[in-house]
Amino acid sequence: MSWTPRATLLLALVVGTAALSSVALPLTDHPRFCASCHNIAPSYESWVKSSHKDVSCVDCHIRPSLEGWLHDKAWNGSKDIAIYLFGTPTDAHNLKATVDSQVCLSCHRQILRVSEVAPRDLPPPVKDVGLIMSHRKHLEAFEARGQGEGCTTCHSGVVHERPIKGYPIVIPRGHVSADSKPWPPDHPEGSYLQTRALADCFRCHDGKAEHRGKVVDRKCETCHLADKIKDFLSF
C-alpha cells in the first residue's frame, strides 16, 4: 500500500491534536486558568481562602465519568469560552454552577451516618444551640422532589462566599441570633448570589412543603436542642 500525501496530512493532524491535548488539558484543569476569566476571578479569590483551597475546581465541578467530562468539561467549558470571547459573560454576582452531590459525598460520605452534630463540632453561632440533622433524609427528600437540589442547596457558599459574620467557616445562614454582629451579604441588591445568601432552612421548612405525604415540620426542636434553642431565637 502506497503512502499518500493525504495520509501524511491525516497522521500529522492526529499527532498534532494528541500533542496539543496533552498540553492544553492539564492547563485548563488548573484553577488559575478558570480565574483568567474576569467574572470567575471573584470565585477564585474566595476559593483560595476557603476550607477547600486544596481541592481544585475540576474536582468539584466535573463529575468523575466520561459523561461528566464530556458535558461538564468539554461542552460547558467550550460554551463558556465562546461566550467570554464573543458574547456577554454573566455578571459575577449572578453566576450559577452545579456541583453534583455525589462529588461532595466522594469525600464526605461519612456525613450520611450522622443524625446529630455535637455542639463541640459546630462553629458559632450554632455551636450554642446544637444541630439535629439527618443528611441522608435530606438527600432522599431532595431526590424525591426532583428539582435538582442536593448538598449545595444548604451549603452553597461553603467555598465561594465570605464567612458569615467573620466566623472561620461558611455555614447555612440559618435564623438564630447568638450575637449582635451584622451580616450584610456582599452582593448587589436583587442579584442571584444575594438571594442565595439570604435563603435559610425555611425555604423548605415553611409549613407548606410536604415529604412522603406529611408537611415538613417547622418546629425549632426539630433541628435544634430544645433546652438551648429558646434563648437564641431571632423571631
Side-chain angles (χ1 to χ4, degrees), residues 108-189:
H108 300 287
R109 184 161 294 277
Q110 75 281 359
I111 201 66
L112 296 178
R113 299 193 297 270
V114 176
S115 60
E116 182 173 338
V117 183
R120 68 176 182 274
D121 298 322
L122 294 167
V126 292
K127 183 183 183 72
D128 296 322
V129 296
L131 184 64
I132 304 168
M133 170 64 67
S134 174
H135 287 80
R136 182 181 295 277
K137 287 183 179 179
H138 279 76
L139 287 175
E140 290 174 351
F142 290 152
E143 184 176 0
R145 278 161 62 96
Q147 297 181 17
E149 299 161 310
C151 298
T152 56
T153 299
C154 299
H155 299 284
S156 57
V158 72
V159 176
H160 300 300
E161 192 66 81
R162 64 186 177 88
I164 293 175
K165 298 186 178 183
Y167 293 123
I169 65 172
V170 175
I171 57 175
R173 174 174 174 266
H175 36 262
V176 297
S177 178
D179 59 49
S180 59
K181 295 180 180 179
W183 182 71
D186 191 20
H187 304 292
E189 183 74 26

Side-chain angles (χ1 to χ4, degrees), residues 19-168:
L20 181 62
S21 297
S22 66
V23 174
L25 290 179
L27 288 177
T28 59
D29 283 348
H30 198 284
R32 289 184 180 175
F33 174 82
C34 303
S36 64
C37 177
H38 73 271
N39 61 326
I40 298 295
S43 298
Y44 173 85
E45 292 165 2
S46 60
W47 165 77
V48 296
K49 299 176 183 177
S50 76
S51 60
H52 286 60
K53 59 182 179 294
D54 295 323
V55 183
S56 70
C57 305
V58 296
D59 288 337
C60 289
H61 291 286
I62 298 178
R63 292 166 294 166
S65 64
L66 178 60
E67 178 189 1
W69 189 90
L70 290 174
H71 181 271
D72 304 342
K73 170 81 171 181
W75 172 251
N76 284 344
S78 299
K79 183 171 64 176
D80 290 342
I81 291 174
I83 292 173
Y84 180 72
L85 294 175
F86 308 110
T88 303
T90 302
D91 177 78
H93 297 286
N94 285 300
L95 285 174
K96 298 180 181 180
T98 300
V99 177
D100 191 276
S101 291
Q102 292 305 315
V103 174
C104 303
L105 293 175
S106 65
C107 291
H108 300 287
R109 184 161 294 277
Q110 75 281 359
I111 201 66
L112 296 178
R113 299 193 297 270
V114 176
S115 60
E116 182 173 338
V117 183
R120 68 176 182 274
D121 298 322
L122 294 167
V126 292
K127 183 183 183 72
D128 296 322
V129 296
L131 184 64
I132 304 168
M133 170 64 67
S134 174
H135 287 80
R136 182 181 295 277
K137 287 183 179 179
H138 279 76
L139 287 175
E140 290 174 351
F142 290 152
E143 184 176 0
R145 278 161 62 96
Q147 297 181 17
E149 299 161 310
C151 298
T152 56
T153 299
C154 299
H155 299 284
S156 57
V158 72
V159 176
H160 300 300
E161 192 66 81
R162 64 186 177 88
I164 293 175
K165 298 186 178 183
Y167 293 123

